[in-house]
Amino acid sequence: LSFSTCRLVVLFASACNAVTSAETEPVVDLGFAGEYAILSKSGISATAGSKIYGDIAVSPIASTAMTGFDLTLDSSTQFSKSALIVAGPDASLGEAYAASYGGEIANVLTTAVGAMETAYTDAAGRSTTDADTLNLGGGILGGEFGGPTKPLTPGVYTFGSDVYLNSDVQFSGDGVYIIQITGNLIQAAHKNVILDGAKSENIFWQVAGHVEVGVGAKMEGIILAKTKVDFKTNSSLNGRVLTQTACNLQSATITEPVPTARRGLRSM
């Protein structure tokens, strides 16, 4: 091949790569909601044995809607502490925020809840033209439909029904995954979401119904829920719970992804 021909091939390949990059699904922007391991509008409950690695918050409901934490109000009156809430590699206590604490945190949480609702709407509004990602497996994921031998790859997956994770589900490849569910999301006991090159902060579960993570199950990703989220005994999540109603933990563990620079009260 001549130099000019080779150069043309290289330029063509670069152009193709640029098109592919441009078509990559963008991340759902969580805004201020992305500062919390759990953000809820109507309450967070936890039983003994639960552990949260990251901050939690409720708004517009009052701090009394955070139950089971044995909260101790800080002298600033802007947040509380609990032995169940841990943040940072030094295992220092994390913080629990509520709109009822007033002051600047009330404004921050109003913004965070707005960002959560915007993120939900954004994720729900994403579209796909790939027929293979519409109602995959009839809403039953695992095995031939998202299992370790036939993993999910980046993109938008749309389900017009409940979704059941009845066996292990694997996400393969670095990219953005958006799982749109018009019904409920139910993960069976002792089943795992497995990451192979995927990142929990880039997996978005947009769920119009409720979410249930079964006993001993391991979930990954950002849960954007319209209604309640329940974690059964010894279940876990690497990600965030951003729910427009309540989150209930039964001896469960929530670990937020490595956070970006704080934009809320801690950064002031």
Side-chain angles (χ1 to χ4, degrees):
L1 295 176
S2 68
F3 173 81
S4 59
T5 302
C6 290
R7 184 171 181 271
L8 181 61
V9 170
V10 170
L11 289 173
F12 179 76
S14 298
C16 289
N17 289 337
V19 170
T20 301
S21 175
E23 293 177 349
T24 299
E25 196 67 35
V27 169
V28 176
D29 184 8
L30 301 180
F32 276 85
E35 298 195 8
Y36 305 97
I38 304 175
L39 176 62
S40 165
K41 291 177 67 174
S42 63
I44 304 169
S45 70
T47 62
S50 294
K51 192 69 73 175
I52 302 167
Y53 294 89
D55 294 340
I56 68 172
V58 294
S59 179
I61 203 163
S63 62
T64 52
M66 294 184 285
T67 61
F69 292 97
D70 192 20
L71 295 172
T72 300
L73 186 64
D74 183 74
S75 59
S76 69
T77 72
Q78 289 290 274
F79 62 88
S80 291
K81 296 281 191 177
S82 167
L84 302 187
I85 309 171
V86 180
D90 59 353
S92 60
L93 292 183
E95 298 173 355
Y97 297 95
S100 60
Y101 292 156
E104 185 60 31
I105 191 57
N107 297 327
V108 169
L109 292 180
T110 296
T111 301
V113 167
M116 171 176 68
E117 294 171 339
T118 298
Y120 178 93
T121 301
D122 178 11
R126 300 292 179 94
S127 61
T128 178
T129 57
D130 186 352
D132 291 337
T133 65
L134 299 176
N135 298 309
L136 180 67
I140 301 176
L141 296 183
E144 292 296 307
F145 303 101
T149 60
K150 294 290 183 68
L152 303 179
T153 55
V156 178
Y157 295 80
T158 303
F159 297 90
S161 64
D162 293 344
V163 170
Y164 296 89
L165 310 186
N166 289 342
S167 57
D168 291 351
V169 173
Q170 182 165 313
F171 291 81
S172 290
D174 187 13
V176 174
Y177 300 76
I178 298 176
I179 318 299
Q180 301 169 329
I181 303 171
T182 61
N184 305 312
L185 171 61
I186 310 296
Q187 184 174 6
H190 306 294
K191 302 305 177 185
N192 300 318
V193 172
I194 302 167
L195 303 187
D196 176 25
K199 298 175 181 176
S200 60
E201 60 264 36
N202 289 336
I203 299 171
F204 301 90
W205 302 88
Q206 177 265 314
V207 186
H210 72 263
V211 178
E212 180 179 304
V213 179
V215 173
K218 180 183 177 183
M219 172 59 80
E220 299 272 356
I222 310 302
I223 297 176
L224 295 164
K226 190 72 170 179
T227 65
K228 70 171 183 171
V229 181
D230 294 330
F231 286 86
K232 301 300 184 180
T233 304
N234 294 327
S235 61
S236 66
L237 167 73
N238 289 322
R240 304 183 191 280
V241 181
L242 307 178
T243 172
Q244 296 182 45
T245 59
C247 178
N248 305 302
L249 309 180
Q250 298 176 5
S251 298
T253 300
I254 309 297
T255 304
E256 70 173 359
V258 177
T260 55
R262 297 272 178 186
R263 292 176 290 179
L265 198 64
R266 284 190 177 185
S267 65
M268 296 176 182

